[in-house]
Amino acid sequence: MGELVERVDERDEVLAVVERGEAIRHRWLHRISTIVCRDSAGRFLVHRRPDDVALFPGQINWMLGGAVDVAESYEDAAARELVEELGVHARPHFLFKFLCEGVISPYWLGLHEVVVTEPVQPDPSEVAWHDWLTESELAVLVRHREFVPDAREAFDRHRALPVRPGVM
């Protein structure tokens, strides 16, 4: 049996528990939790996905994350993904969620932010390369064709926040 997720509706309320692959195949809404990492200077962590992964191989992203497990909150999923992908133990701050049409399938995307003060130890199965970029450098990179398409909308929404998160 594959990874289980909660199938949700347009109000983000649970309808059923399904396999993630089935949710993607049928384009059923489910939940994804993401984290934006910043350093103490306010720069953003950017990474390239490995070439051998199923989703967005070799593409660049400014978010880390993944599916929210059954009965898991967006916040708990963000903290878990942060440990799994970067080896960082911290509690990301929830910023917002939105219904993302998604290139592969639609989903609710919960965006979190965290200031990373410890060295990162990226999991090579998730992160092939990483660097810290200023917001202006990231704004240019986001428009590059190798950038994960779904991450562009999240970046634009993040930049449009009336009170933008800063270094916490």
Side-chain angles (χ1 to χ4, degrees):
M1 179 169 265
E3 177 182 20
L4 295 178
V5 297
E6 293 171 332
R7 178 182 176 190
V8 296
D9 64 16
E10 59 281 342
R11 293 182 316 272
D12 197 16
E13 294 180 8
V14 178
L15 300 173
V17 173
V18 299
E19 286 187 12
R20 185 176 182 195
E22 183 180 18
I24 291 170
R25 272 192 309 283
H26 294 286
R27 298 189 56 78
W28 292 335
L29 293 175
H30 54 289
R31 296 174 174 152
I32 301 292
S33 187
T34 63
I35 311 99
V36 172
C37 298
R38 299 182 82 172
D39 66 8
S40 57
R43 296 178 302 173
F44 293 89
L45 180 77
V46 176
H47 71 283
R48 187 174 62 76
R49 297 188 39 81
D51 292 330
D52 60 351
V53 294
L55 301 176
F56 308 111
Q59 292 190 321
I60 300 168
N61 202 339
W62 75 304
M63 302 182 300
L64 299 160
V68 176
D69 289 342
V70 174
E72 186 178 41
S73 69
Y74 284 98
E75 293 82 3
D76 288 344
R80 174 180 50 77
E81 292 286 347
L82 189 60
V83 171
E84 290 174 4
E85 296 189 22
L86 287 185
V88 171
H89 296 269
R91 191 74 184 166
H93 173 71
F94 180 82
L95 296 178
F96 59 86
K97 70 179 178 177
F98 68 96
L99 186 55
C100 183
E101 187 56 36
V103 171
I104 297 169
S105 173
Y107 56 90
W108 279 96
L109 186 146
L111 186 73
H112 302 74
E113 188 171 273
V114 67
V115 174
V116 176
T117 57
E118 61 188 88
V120 297
Q121 299 173 341
D123 177 347
S125 71
E126 299 280 353
V127 176
W129 163 90
H130 74 282
D131 199 3
W132 297 93
L133 301 181
T134 65
E135 184 173 345
S136 59
E137 292 169 327
L138 177 55
V140 170
L141 186 61
V142 164
R143 303 302 165 210
H144 193 273
R145 67 178 184 80
E146 291 182 1
F147 205 83
V148 172
D150 295 359
R152 286 189 188 108
E153 182 178 2
F155 179 76
D156 291 341
R157 287 175 179 264
H158 183 271
R159 285 190 96 183
L161 289 173
V163 177
R164 300 214 17 241
V167 179
M168 295 178 231

